[in-house]
Every structure is written in structure tokens, then in C-alpha cells.
Amino acid sequence: MVIKVFLASSSGSTAIKKKQQDVVGFLEALKLDYTQLDIACNEENRMWMRQNVPEEKKPTNGIPLPPQIFNEESYCGDYDTFFDAKEDNSVYAFLGLPPPPGSKEAAQADKEHIVQNGTHAAENPDDSEVPVEERNGNAHGEKEQVEAADEEEGEGGEAGDEATEGETAGDEPPAAEEGEEEAVEETDEVTEDTAQAEEVEEEEEQLLRVWNEPVPTAAPSLSAFQSFYSTTYMTDSLHDLSINDIY
């Protein structure tokens, strides 16, 4: 592939001459093969350049000015696009040439290639890494069946454990019945204590009634009092007392 640079050797514009020298000098520095085609002395070159520059790249008057750069028949651009490519270290891409190994443009191209491949690989992973069952949709179905079976077994085991606990609880005596028996025993004890206390109170009341009775004008004999006391309290403990001890 040969780079073609269309320029005007006898141009009266200083700006055009400077631009042409900049393009040629940069291509020589890169040691690229290029051909200079003069449009000032060759009408055929001038007509070919005007016809092959794309319409959207032409100026308002429709006449493109040199320098214009081509790669064989393919249009590369004018000086402005060449300058932008030089600033971006992408002159080889601008000219449609592969960058030489070790150049900044080659390193940048390799970096961009790695990033693009990595993104592409992440978005479209290799089918070989995906198991056949998952691609066919069988792995997901089998997994759901296994999980369903595990859940059924777990529910069955829990139901069995609950039933066993219920049977064990049925074999043990109810705590409520034990509490009722203890309550009945306590009630009996309270009833006995109450009966004994009532008997003691009755005896004390009878004894008080005796002691509180008015003394008769004629004191009864000791034998009569002993007989009365033994009859009332069913005891002979006063036989040893004298009548003076009583009164």
C-alpha cells in the first residue's frame, strides 16, 4: 500500500506550504513509503483529487485544498484530520496502516484490544464453560426436584418427632392430677387442725363459764363440787383440792 499526498508545489499560500511540509516531514520521520502528487503542474492529478475527496469532506465552495492524503484509492483525510491523528498517537490508524511493534500506537492498540476482548468475553461467555445440563435446562429442574424431596423429608421428620413427643407426654402422669392430690391432702390436714382447735376452744369456753358463774350464798360442799367437775369435764383432777383452794 502506497500513501499518496496531493500537494501544490507552486502555491502562493504560506499556510498551505507549511501544512504540506508538516505532512511530508512527519511521513519521512516515520520512514513510510509515500508518493507526492503535484496538482499545480498536473491537471490529471488535480481532477483525480477533487473527484475522490468525499462530498462531506469538501469545503463550502466544493474545491478541496492541498494537502489531501490517500491510501491507494481510499481517502484518509486533509491536514486538520492528520494533525488530530498525530496529536492522538493514531497516525497509523489514520493512514490505514498497522502500527509497528513497540510503538506507542501499537501499545495503545493492544490495550484497547484487551479491553474490548475482556468486555466481549464477559458479556458472551464461552459455551464450553457452561454445563450441558444447564444449557438444556435439565439441571435447574433436577435441582428443584431434589430440594422438594428434601423439604418433604424434613416435614415428615418433624411430624414424627412431634408425634413421639406427644406419646411421651401421654405416658407421664399429668401434673394437674398430682397438684389436685396434694391440694386434697392439704385440705384434710387443715380440716383436722380446725377440728382440734374448735375442741380446745369449747373446753376453754366451758372452763370460763364455770369460773364466771356467781358464787352461791351457801357454798356447796367439796364432794358436791368434785362430783360436778368430774361430771362436766370427765376428770378427777380436783379430788386432791380442798374447798379453800377452790374459793
Side-chain angles (χ1 to χ4, degrees):
M1 292 183 293
V2 179
I3 302 300
K4 297 179 182 181
V5 180
F6 290 85
L7 47 81
S9 59
S10 61
S11 175
S13 174
T14 304
I16 292 177
K17 289 181 179 180
K18 186 177 180 180
K19 291 178 181 180
Q20 293 175 162
Q21 291 174 358
D22 190 9
V23 172
V24 172
F26 194 81
L27 294 178
E28 290 179 353
L30 295 178
K31 298 180 180 181
L32 296 176
D33 293 334
Y34 71 97
T35 301
Q36 296 184 26
L37 300 174
D38 191 0
I39 63 171
C41 300
N42 191 324
E43 183 66 18
E44 184 178 353
N45 292 338
R46 184 173 63 87
M47 294 302 296
W48 190 94
M49 182 193 74
R50 290 183 178 182
Q51 292 175 0
N52 288 275
V53 173
E55 292 294 332
E56 64 272 11
K57 300 296 182 180
K58 292 180 181 180
T60 306
N61 58 9
I63 301 175
L65 299 176
Q68 298 291 333
I69 306 167
F70 288 81
N71 184 340
E72 295 291 347
E73 307 297 327
S74 300
Y75 180 73
C76 297
D78 58 5
Y79 176 80
D80 292 336
T81 53
F82 168 81
F83 181 81
D84 293 339
K86 185 174 65 172
E87 293 295 322
D88 295 338
N89 293 323
S90 59
V91 174
Y92 287 93
F94 167 77
L95 298 174
L97 300 175
S103 63
K104 292 182 179 180
E105 188 172 348
Q108 184 176 356
D110 292 340
K111 185 177 180 180
E112 292 177 356
H113 181 70
I114 292 173
V115 172
Q116 291 177 357
N117 288 344
T119 305
H120 182 73
E123 294 177 354
N124 300 311
D126 188 4
D127 292 341
S128 61
E129 297 179 358
V130 181
V132 178
E133 293 81 0
E134 293 186 3
R135 291 202 301 269
N136 293 336
N138 296 331
H140 185 66
E142 292 178 356
K143 184 178 180 180
E144 290 181 351
Q145 294 177 359
V146 172
E147 292 178 353
D150 293 340
E151 291 179 358
E152 291 179 358
E153 291 179 358
E155 293 176 357
E158 293 177 357
D161 295 339
E162 293 177 357
T164 304
E165 291 177 358
E167 293 177 358
T168 305
D171 295 339
E172 296 178 357
E177 295 181 0
E178 293 180 357
E180 292 178 357
E181 293 178 358
E182 293 178 358
V184 171
E185 293 178 357
E186 292 177 358
T187 303
D188 295 341
E189 292 177 359
V190 171
T191 304
E192 293 178 358
D193 295 340
T194 303
Q196 293 177 359
E198 291 177 354
E199 293 178 358
V200 172
E201 290 178 359
E202 291 178 358
E203 292 178 357
E204 290 178 355
E205 290 178 358
Q206 291 178 359
L207 182 60
L208 289 174
R209 284 197 301 270
V210 171
W211 288 108
N212 292 328
E213 289 179 358
V215 179
T217 304
S221 63
L222 179 62
S223 60
F225 188 84
Q226 290 176 342
S227 176
F228 171 77
Y229 190 87
S230 61
T231 302
T232 304
Y233 295 101
M234 303 298 293
T235 180
D236 296 334
S237 60
L238 293 178
H239 287 289
D240 297 333
L241 299 177
S242 63
I243 191 67
N244 294 326
D245 294 333
I246 295 172
Y247 294 102

